[in-house]
Amino acid sequence: MDYLLLTCLSFAVGIVVGLTGIGGASLITPMLVFVFQVPASVAVSSDVVAATLMKVVGGVKHWRQQTVDCAAVKWLALDLSKNLQALLILDLRRSHQNSYRTQSCGFAAVSISNQL
């Protein structure tokens, strides 16, 4: 892998993302797969890990600056809870066994609903 080319292309992607506001994953992931022949699963998973870390850091910064709209967060969490409940119902209809996904979706849905 040519690290100088990777650095230059990543810088160009950062400029495009900064100017247009589109998500960097839509540019970085195809670049890794097609230009650097990184396996798609590795490219996607590394992008998800990086995005998760950046969102956590951004959330902490917004919380400290008191720029979080808590009413909007409650609505988003309520919507997430309803989606998890729907997924739980669909999962229970498909299989009558108690899977890990069924338990985790049920726990998350109940936890979020109780917090609201």
Side-chain angles (χ1 to χ4, degrees), residues 42-56:
V42 173
V44 170
S45 63
S46 63
D47 181 60
V48 167
V49 168
T52 301
L53 293 174
M54 286 185 263
K55 289 178 189 320
V56 168

Side-chain angles (χ1 to χ4, degrees), residues 72-85 112-113 116:
V73 171
K74 285 182 183 179
W75 281 107
L76 290 170
L78 182 65
D79 185 50
L80 174 66
S81 172
K82 298 305 177 197
N83 290 337
L84 286 173
Q85 289 172 4
I112 291 172
S113 297
L116 298 175

Side-chain angles (χ1 to χ4, degrees), residues 10-30:
S10 297
F11 180 74
V13 166
I15 296 293
V16 170
V17 167
L19 291 174
T20 61
I22 62 170
S26 62
L27 298 172
I28 288 288
T29 304

